[in-house]
Coordinates of all heavy atoms in Angstrom, one line a residue:
S31 N 18.9 15.8 -21.3 CA 19.0 17.0 -22.1 C 18.5 16.7 -23.5 O 18.2 17.7 -24.2 CB 20.4 17.6 -22.1 OG 20.8 18.0 -20.8
Q32 N 18.6 15.5 -24.0 CA 18.2 15.2 -25.3 C 16.7 15.4 -25.6 O 16.2 15.6 -26.7 CB 18.5 13.7 -25.7 CG 20.0 13.5 -25.8 CD 20.4 12.1 -25.9 OE1 19.8 11.3 -26.7 NE2 21.5 11.6 -25.3
A33 N 15.9 15.5 -24.5 CA 14.4 15.7 -24.7 C 14.1 17.2 -24.6 O 12.9 17.5 -24.9 CB 13.7 15.0 -23.5
I34 N 15.1 18.0 -24.4 CA 14.7 19.4 -24.1 C 14.1 20.1 -25.3 O 13.1 20.8 -25.2 CB 16.0 20.2 -23.7 CG1 16.4 19.7 -22.3 CG2 15.7 21.7 -23.6 CD1 17.7 20.4 -21.8
E35 N 14.8 20.0 -26.5 CA 14.2 20.7 -27.7 C 12.8 20.3 -28.0 O 11.9 21.1 -28.2 CB 15.2 20.7 -28.8 CG 16.5 21.5 -28.6 CD 16.2 23.0 -28.3 OE1 15.3 23.6 -29.0 OE2 16.8 23.5 -27.3
P36 N 12.6 18.9 -28.1 CA 11.2 18.5 -28.4 C 10.2 19.0 -27.3 O 9.1 19.4 -27.7 CB 11.2 17.0 -28.3 CG 12.7 16.6 -28.5 CD 13.5 17.8 -28.1
L37 N 10.6 19.1 -26.1 CA 9.8 19.5 -25.0 C 9.4 21.0 -25.2 O 8.2 21.4 -25.1 CB 10.5 19.3 -23.7 CG 9.8 19.3 -22.3 CD1 8.8 18.2 -22.3 CD2 10.8 19.1 -21.2
L38 N 10.4 21.8 -25.4 CA 10.2 23.3 -25.6 C 9.4 23.5 -26.8 O 8.5 24.4 -26.8 CB 11.5 24.0 -25.6 CG 12.4 24.0 -24.3 CD1 13.7 24.8 -24.5 CD2 11.6 24.4 -23.1
T39 N 9.6 22.8 -27.8 CA 8.8 22.9 -29.1 C 7.4 22.6 -28.8 O 6.4 23.2 -29.3 CB 9.5 22.1 -30.2 OG1 10.8 22.6 -30.4 CG2 8.7 22.3 -31.5
A40 N 7.1 21.5 -28.1 CA 5.8 21.0 -27.8 C 4.9 22.1 -27.1 O 3.7 22.2 -27.3 CB 5.8 19.8 -26.9
V41 N 5.6 23.0 -26.3 CA 4.8 24.0 -25.6 C 5.0 25.4 -26.2 O 4.6 26.4 -25.7 CB 5.2 24.1 -24.1 CG1 4.7 22.8 -23.4 CG2 6.6 24.3 -23.8
R66 N 16.2 30.6 -25.7 CA 15.2 31.0 -26.7 C 14.5 32.3 -26.4 O 13.6 32.8 -27.0 CB 14.0 29.9 -26.7 CG 14.4 28.6 -27.3 CD 13.1 27.8 -27.5 NE 13.4 26.4 -28.0 CZ 12.5 25.7 -28.7 NH1 11.3 26.1 -28.8 NH2 12.8 24.5 -29.1
A140 N 3.9 20.2 -21.1 CA 4.4 19.0 -21.6 C 5.3 18.3 -20.5 O 6.0 19.0 -19.8 CB 5.2 19.3 -22.9
T200 N 4.0 11.6 -28.0 CA 5.0 11.1 -29.0 C 6.2 10.4 -28.3 O 6.3 10.5 -27.1 CB 5.5 12.3 -29.8 OG1 6.1 13.2 -28.9 CG2 4.4 13.0 -30.6
V202 N 10.4 10.2 -28.1 CA 11.6 10.9 -28.4 C 12.8 9.8 -28.4 O 13.1 9.3 -27.3 CB 11.9 12.0 -27.4 CG1 13.2 12.7 -27.8 CG2 10.8 12.9 -27.3
L265 N 6.9 11.7 -24.6 CA 6.6 13.1 -24.4 C 5.1 13.3 -24.6 O 4.5 13.0 -25.6 CB 7.4 13.9 -25.5 CG 7.5 15.4 -25.3 CD1 8.5 16.0 -26.3 CD2 6.2 16.2 -25.5

Side-chain angles (χ1 to χ4, degrees):
S31 293
Q32 293 173 39
I34 293 175
E35 288 305 315
L37 197 62
L38 295 182
T39 298
V41 295
R66 287 193 185 200
T200 57
V202 182
L265 192 168

